[in-house]
Amino acid sequence: KQEVTQIPAALSVPEGENLVLNCSFTDSAIYNLQWFRQDPGKGLTSLLLIQSSQREQTSGRLNASLDKSSGRSTLYIAASQPGDSATYLCAVSQGGSEKLVFGKGTKLTVNP
Amino acid sequence: GAVVSQHPSRVICKSGTSVKIECRSLDFQATTMFWYRQFPKQSLMLMATSNEGSKATYEQGVEKDKFLINHASLTLSTLTVTSAHPEDSSFYICSPRTHGRDGYTFGSGTRLTVV
């Protein structure tokens, strides 16, 4: 059974700092990995999708890497801003079913 | 990208009553809809998968008679929590299968509180 773990559970940083969020998964036979952002009481915003054949994806200040063999992914946020404060979720899918297995998330607080 | 509208966003109901949550795909036809729930400080967990025109499939431990899923059209899937109890209080969110069209998309979620 696939399990996804995210470390740390919470992170507080000053504005402008670069930071890394970690995600690990137990079964390396994934189809893809997705990073989401979840704001309190709201749905999920898709950030970056990495296919199993890819090593990384970038969008603006965000960079996500994938090391499938070791079961790890990282989300790098450059020059963090208070607006980046949210919970960041990592999820993996297996096969082509598009069913996702989620981690518990990392709650990020960026202090002005 | 694929757009999904989920209603209501928040609902408070009394124990024993039923609550219906709707998810509509606005710009494409969703043959499959995934329903997830998230208990406080827990991860999102897949509850069930609805398929247009056929029975839904439920994940282990999810009571199919309690969580009724209807997917009668390609644009609408509903989840009804029947005889709700306080332990059903959770965040419910839907996600249509897009067949790789635009990655994953989700509804805005429904916060259910049963009192």
Side-chain angles (χ1 to χ4, degrees):
Chain A
K1 178 184 173 184
Q2 177 73 271
E3 292 183 0
V4 179
T5 302
Q6 290 187 245
I7 295 174
L11 180 64
S12 182
V13 300
E15 182 176 2
E17 192 162 298
N18 303 325
L19 58 101
V20 175
L21 307 181
N22 297 290
C23 172
S24 62
F25 45 95
T26 55
D27 186 346
S28 62
I30 63 170
Y31 190 71
N32 57 40
L33 183 144
Q34 172 91 57
W35 283 93
F36 295 92
R37 168 185 173 139
Q38 185 177 27
D39 292 283
K42 296 189 177 180
L44 277 61
T45 301
S46 176
L47 297 175
L48 291 166
L49 172 66
I50 310 177
Q51 301 295 344
S52 62
S53 59
Q54 297 175 322
R55 298 282 293 183
E56 67 176 343
Q57 284 286 342
T58 298
S59 176
R61 294 183 293 109
L62 305 180
N63 176 277
S65 69
L66 173 64
D67 185 341
K68 200 174 79 164
S69 61
S70 67
R72 295 181 181 179
S73 175
T74 61
L75 179 67
Y76 175 82
I77 303 177
S80 58
Q81 302 171 358
D84 295 330
S85 298
T87 296
Y88 290 81
L89 301 175
C90 167
V92 299
S93 72
Q94 292 180 276
S97 69
E98 297 186 30
K99 297 180 182 180
L100 293 173
V101 178
F102 284 85
K104 291 185 179 181
T106 294
K107 184 176 182 180
L108 173 65
T109 302
V110 181
N111 301 301
Chain B
V3 179
V4 179
S5 175
Q6 182 172 347
H7 295 281
S9 58
R10 188 179 296 269
V11 58
I12 300 173
C13 70
K14 292 183 178 180
S15 287
T17 61
S18 295
V19 174
K20 180 184 284 188
I21 302 170
E22 293 188 348
C23 269
R24 293 181 184 275
S25 53
L26 301 182
D27 59 350
F28 71 103
Q29 296 180 327
T31 56
T32 299
M33 188 75 76
F34 301 112
W35 287 93
Y36 295 84
R37 66 181 170 186
Q38 183 181 35
F39 292 110
K41 298 188 178 181
Q42 298 298 312
S43 58
L44 278 155
M45 296 282 289
L46 181 66
M47 293 176 64
T49 303
S50 71
N51 301 290
E52 187 268 335
S54 64
K55 290 184 178 180
T57 56
Y58 292 81
E59 297 301 305
Q60 190 174 13
V62 178
E63 301 175 56
K64 63 179 182 180
D65 294 329
K66 181 172 185 61
F67 298 98
L68 301 181
I69 290 177
N70 185 284
H71 196 144
S73 78
L74 291 172
T75 59
L76 176 64
S77 177
T78 61
L79 167 66
T80 300
V81 183
T82 63
S83 187
H85 290 284
E87 56 265 32
D88 298 324
S89 298
S90 185
F91 183 72
Y92 295 84
I93 193 165
C94 61
S95 176
R97 184 174 185 181
T98 62
H99 298 280
R101 174 185 149 172
D102 290 304
Y104 299 98
T105 191
F106 283 79
S108 54
T110 298
R111 173 72 60 190
L112 171 64
T113 303
V114 185
V115 297

